[in-house]
Amino acid sequence: MIILLDFARRKGSANSRSKANDRLQTVLAHDRIGTSSGIMEQVKKEVIQVIRKHVDTEEPEVSLISRGRQPVLDINIPLKGR
Amino acid sequence: MMEPSNGGQVVVITSGKGGVGKTTTVTNVSMGLAQLGFKVVAMDLDIGLKKLDLIMGLENRVIYDIVQVIEGECTLRQALVKDRRFPNLFMLPAAQTRNKDDVTEEQIKNLCAELKKEFDFILIDCPAGIERGFRNSIAAADWAVVVTNPEVSAVRDADRIIGMLESAQFQDIKLVINRIRPEMVRGGDMLSIDDLLNHLCIDLIGIVPEDDGVVISTNTGEPIILNQRSLAGRAFYNIARRFAGEEVPFLDLNHTGSLWDRIRMFFSKQVG
């Protein structure tokens, strides 16, 4: 039982490094442009409004990523086919 | 990094976050450069919160401080504290009872211009934070070293500092990763060297593994670089050699997996 628990604990923490990387990626991109991470939801809402005036879309993915030290807005909008 | 052109070079050691190892880096790299035969000054600009004298083990030799030099109460030569171990190593102490607003960027520039005539390297121990003390510390620097730990808050502050150095037109910014624990990286519980380089996107100049010996050397005032059997001591010596322009291979954490590899790493000279 103790061994199992230990195994479960290890498994639970095994990806703390990748979690740290994900959190850093987001926070650094926002720090570099001086915005808070909540802003992306707003961008997503407004982008979808603009696009949907012209074509029907699925839910877009909007994220701030970094290319080197350059922050880049990554917008992926799948369009609905007929 | 580069050969001294008009006299010595001024290097600022900075980090944003406190407690990541700036003073330890300044102490050990200064001593390493002195071992290599360079004439070196380690300058404490953490005015009001000085530590460099203590970490270098020179606290009993301090008579004057940098603010007294600037205010003309003593000469620069009188304030420079000579190291006990290396005749070509000196320390310029910060003032403890003053604050960071008591010196200006212009005064630091003048002081460094004076020191450059006589010394090969001037290493500046920058205070934590991004305020006046930071601006004073970078004002006269030819290039910068950012020290960080493999930990999210230290990396975030390092990134902010790198951004500020870039805004201040620094072309040459190098990274020291301090207190890395290879076994935790392998276990997936610590950011790796590559992770940090991917986030921060600057060149690496040193990797210093976590080493209990650093605590002991801080207690005794005998910097860890004097103990070449310690991994951290050798890592700092390698950083000093890279400062001097030598190409020294880095510790490769990807090949420290098996017991045999760890034994080999221990006996190899190519650490950090």
Side-chain angles (χ1 to χ4, degrees):
Chain A
M1 188 59 193
I2 291 163
I3 296 162
L4 272 176
L5 276 174
D6 189 49
F7 179 73
R9 191 187 60 82
R10 275 159 168 264
K11 208 179 171 196
S13 68
N15 57 3
S16 79
R17 173 183 161 197
S18 62
K19 195 158 186 182
N21 275 318
D22 293 344
R23 293 174 66 216
L24 267 174
Q25 189 172 26
T26 309
V27 90
L28 294 187
H30 283 286
D31 284 356
R32 284 168 188 163
I33 58 169
T35 60
S36 58
S37 35
I39 203 85
M40 281 306 124
E41 270 314 300
Q42 194 59 38
V43 170
K44 195 166 152 178
K45 247 186 236 167
E46 290 177 23
V47 162
I48 205 166
Q49 277 173 8
V50 171
I51 304 294
R52 277 186 183 161
K53 280 184 194 166
H54 307 284
V55 282
D56 208 4
T57 77
E58 305 278 358
E59 194 67 9
E61 281 172 38
V62 177
S63 50
L64 196 54
I65 57 170
S66 292
R67 283 205 192 110
R69 295 187 60 80
Q70 173 69 54
V72 174
L73 193 56
D74 185 45
I75 304 179
N76 195 330
I77 313 173
L79 302 178
K80 273 185 185 162
R82 289 197 220 201
Chain B
M1 295 283 69
M2 46 212 153
E3 291 298 310
S5 46
N6 47 2
Q9 42 187 303
V10 180
V11 192
V12 60
I13 315 297
T14 180
S15 69
K17 186 176 178 297
V20 298
K22 283 183 297 294
T23 307
T24 304
T25 302
V26 169
T27 295
N28 286 289
V29 175
S30 298
M31 210 159 264
L33 286 165
Q35 275 179 327
L36 291 167
F38 294 98
K39 229 182 150 190
V40 186
V41 180
M43 186 194 288
D44 191 353
L45 277 187
D46 202 346
I47 294 163
L49 290 169
K50 67 171 175 176
K51 315 167 193 63
L52 189 60
D53 57 337
L54 203 51
I55 304 300
M56 289 183 85
L58 298 174
E59 70 275 17
N60 293 330
R61 297 190 160 206
V62 174
I63 300 169
Y64 298 107
D65 62 56
I66 189 168
V67 177
Q68 288 175 302
V69 176
I70 284 167
E71 295 182 348
E73 281 180 47
C74 66
T75 65
L76 179 55
R77 195 164 297 275
Q78 284 175 316
L80 285 173
V81 178
K82 199 172 184 206
D83 184 67
R84 289 182 277 120
R85 296 138 295 206
F86 299 97
N88 48 336
L89 174 61
F90 294 81
M91 191 258 309
L92 186 57
Q96 185 69 336
T97 54
R98 306 294 290 268
N99 65 63
K100 286 162 180 77
D101 297 326
D102 289 341
V103 295
T104 67
E105 293 178 34
E106 214 47 47
Q107 288 166 334
I108 300 299
K109 280 185 193 167
N110 292 339
L111 200 60
C112 286
E114 201 59 41
L115 288 168
K116 271 177 147 181
K117 291 180 198 162
E118 207 185 319
F119 292 91
D120 301 310
F121 287 95
I122 298 111
L123 270 64
I124 296 179
D125 190 11
C126 174
I130 51 173
E131 295 83 19
R132 182 65 175 268
F134 170 72
R135 293 201 307 275
N136 283 339
S137 300
I138 68 169
D142 297 307
W143 58 284
V145 170
V146 175
V147 183
T148 195
N149 298 154
E151 188 257 309
V152 287
S153 62
V155 178
R156 186 185 200 174
D157 287 1
D159 188 73
R160 180 103 167 87
I161 288 294
I162 293 164
M164 294 184 84
L165 289 167
E166 284 178 343
S167 305
Q169 308 303 321
F170 273 78
Q171 308 286 327
D172 198 0
I173 309 169
K174 297 282 191 280
L175 185 68
V176 167
I177 298 170
N178 190 25
R179 305 192 69 170
I180 191 128
R181 292 171 61 180
E183 77 289 354
M184 280 197 80
V185 176
R186 283 195 299 272
D189 279 322
M190 182 175 270
L191 293 163
S192 70
I193 305 295
D194 284 341
D195 293 339
L196 296 200
L197 294 176
N198 283 338
H199 288 301
L200 297 174
C201 308
I202 58 170
D203 292 336
L204 191 60
I205 198 168
I207 304 164
V208 185
E210 175 81 46
D211 189 332
D212 290 349
V214 175
V215 177
I216 297 164
S217 76
T218 304
N219 288 341
T220 59
E222 293 295 326
I224 190 92
I225 196 165
L226 298 172
N227 177 5
Q228 279 295 300
R229 279 184 304 176
S230 83
L231 281 178
R234 271 151 51 194
F236 280 121
Y237 186 63
N238 285 349
I239 296 173
R241 288 167 64 196
R242 292 185 196 110
F243 266 57
E246 261 186 78
E247 295 248 347
V248 188
F250 288 100
L251 167 68
D252 186 354
L253 295 174
N254 298 325
H255 295 100
T256 58
S258 70
L259 181 63
W260 166 242
D261 280 326
R262 267 177 282 162
I263 293 166
R264 199 174 52 186
M265 188 189 88
F266 189 77
F267 289 105
S268 150
K269 281 181 183 157
Q270 300 177 355
V271 171

